[in-house]
Amino acid sequence: MQTDSWIPLFPESASSFSWQVDALYFYLIGISVAFMIPIVAAIFWFVVRYREREKFATPDEIHGSIVLETVWSIIPFVISMTIFLGGAVVYYTQYRMPEDAMQVYVVGKQWMWKIQHETGQREINELHVPVNTKVKLTMTTEDVLHDFSIPAFRTKADVVPGRYTYLWFEATKPGTYHLFCAEYCGLNHSGMIGSVVVMEQNDFESWLQGNASNLTPVEQGRDLFENKLGCASCHAGGSGQRGAVLENIYGKEVKFVGGSSTIVDDEYLRNSILNPSSQVVEGYQPIMPTFKGQVTEEQLISLVAYIKSLSGVDASATAPSAPAAPAPAPANNMGSNSNQGGR
């Protein structure tokens, strides 16, 4: 891993934006050195130049210099602005998720990384990705705070309990790179390590075909929705419908009782499953039971992926099945119709 870096102990640069991070890093180092050397030299010069020659001597007063004060105000301002702009460019590049990225789901757990591709393949502490392809990670954790860190890609992001966080990268060199948890997460934190395997496109497709026995997140979510959790009994259309139809709600605005509103996204769907009474959609009553403690983080990811697929978002290889019939209800969370009970 990471053997051809031109600086000893410095991780290899292997992503599309890693050079930007390195450039900013070395720019900061250069500025620090450029200031440190003359400051240290000036200290020694002053020590010698103004050493004590006479007891209780009174030096000449200095009444200021407009030129000097202007220079030492403008130069730090220009330098600080270049640091700010460089940091803003790097931040904007790293934390603006590309829309055409390959989706990968990550669940942290003491002390391992559980990873699932949108085509169903599962991995533990290993992530296989194709080279020169944008990859977006949707991450959460089953227990404590973790941090998904790939030094060679110069990227990391906290993995936070109870919410989704995101990270993306585009690997530019085939190889195997370190994967760390960069947040102390318990006694065996140091053992929460893994690797990211970057493969040529053909090799990656061969790897996918050789590990194609698992269901995709959308298929797993559909199974939970329709069979294991029985969500379809309320959310499907027809005479038995008691919950809102979920087709085409992703990305739409929903209004809640009390006048507030939000845009349907991953966090909203997650919260609707775990805390359905916290955001009650107009026209519905808070009669959907909570599934908190009844579904794992991996099942939550699958359910969200399936509901998103009903809106044509992130539909993977298998086409999603839709509820039986749409109802003229307002776009809503997973709440229920005011005239009926159940989910």
Side-chain angles (χ1 to χ4, degrees):
M1 293 182 184
Q2 306 163 337
T3 57
D4 59 349
S5 174
W6 59 280
I7 301 178
L9 303 179
F10 202 74
E12 185 175 354
S13 176
S15 74
S16 58
F17 49 66
S18 57
W19 70 270
Q20 297 179 358
V21 179
D22 289 349
L24 181 61
Y25 174 78
F26 287 114
Y27 179 61
L28 293 172
I29 293 294
I31 289 175
S32 300
V33 172
F35 274 90
M36 181 187 71
I37 291 176
I39 288 174
V40 171
I43 290 173
F44 282 101
W45 187 78
F46 287 144
V47 167
V48 176
R49 175 68 177 81
Y50 297 105
R51 66 187 183 280
E52 185 180 66
R53 295 190 178 92
E54 180 184 351
K55 287 291 183 182
F56 310 112
T58 302
D60 295 334
E61 293 186 2
I62 299 176
H63 297 284
S65 168
I66 296 298
V67 175
L68 183 61
E69 293 183 1
T70 301
V71 169
W72 72 36
S73 297
I74 290 179
I75 291 179
F77 173 76
V78 172
I79 292 175
S80 62
M81 289 306 297
T82 57
I83 294 173
F84 169 77
L85 292 174
V89 170
V90 172
Y91 182 86
Y92 182 80
T93 301
Q94 290 203 1
Y95 293 99
R96 183 171 178 268
M97 299 296 129
E99 296 181 355
D100 57 344
M102 185 182 86
Q103 298 284 336
V104 174
Y105 301 97
V106 178
V107 176
K109 179 183 180 182
Q110 292 175 322
W111 289 273
M112 67 175 69
W113 296 108
K114 297 191 288 185
I115 296 168
Q116 185 175 22
H117 295 255
E118 62 179 346
T119 46
Q121 290 79 6
R122 291 179 180 272
E123 304 183 73
I124 299 289
N125 292 338
E126 261 196 351
L127 171 60
H128 288 74
V129 296
V131 68
N132 296 325
T133 300
K134 296 182 178 68
V135 178
K136 176 185 175 183
L137 308 183
T138 300
M139 306 183 294
T140 188
T141 170
E142 292 184 0
D143 37 53
V144 300
L145 179 67
H146 299 283
D147 190 289
F148 197 92
S149 172
I150 311 172
F153 298 168
R154 307 291 192 271
T155 189
K156 64 193 287 289
D158 282 351
V159 183
V160 183
R163 58 173 295 187
Y164 294 125
T165 57
Y166 305 93
L167 178 150
W168 83 276
F169 59 82
E170 180 179 351
T172 55
K173 298 178 183 177
T176 302
Y177 303 98
H178 289 300
L179 165 62
F180 295 119
C181 175
E183 184 73 35
Y184 181 73
C185 57
L187 186 63
N188 293 326
H189 160 72
S190 61
M192 193 170 175
I193 58 177
S195 57
V196 178
V197 182
V198 181
M199 313 170 76
E200 296 288 355
Q201 186 65 42
N202 291 338
D203 294 336
F204 179 71
E205 291 176 359
S206 298
W207 179 84
L208 285 179
Q209 293 173 359
N211 295 273
S213 58
N214 296 313
L215 296 176
T216 67
V218 171
E219 291 171 333
Q220 293 171 339
R222 181 197 304 165
D223 183 45
L224 291 168
F225 189 91
E226 295 181 348
N227 303 315
K228 295 178 180 176
L229 299 180
C231 309
S233 63
C234 292
H235 289 283
S239 59
Q241 179 189 346
R242 290 175 290 179
V245 172
L246 301 176
E247 287 180 299
N248 300 319
I249 65 166
Y250 195 83
K252 303 290 180 60
E253 182 183 20
V254 291
K255 295 183 179 180
F256 304 121
V257 174
S260 61
S261 65
T262 192
I263 301 296
V264 176
D265 57 10
D266 292 10
E267 289 293 342
Y268 171 75
L269 294 176
R270 174 194 173 89
N271 189 55
S272 296
I273 296 169
L274 299 180
N275 303 293
S277 61
S278 63
Q279 293 177 311
V280 181
V281 177
E282 281 185 349
Y284 294 86
Q285 292 184 349
I287 54 178
M288 174 176 166
T290 177
F291 285 86
K292 191 172 186 178
Q294 301 181 47
V295 292
T296 66
E297 289 293 343
E298 293 166 279
Q299 290 174 325
L300 271 173
I301 286 175
S302 298
L303 280 170
V304 171
Y306 173 66
I307 296 171
K308 289 167 64 177
S309 76
L310 299 178
S311 301
V313 179
D314 288 340
S316 55
T318 302
S321 64
N332 69 98
N333 67 354
M334 302 183 75
S336 301
N337 191 287
S338 59
N339 298 325
Q340 302 175 60
R343 278 186 295 278

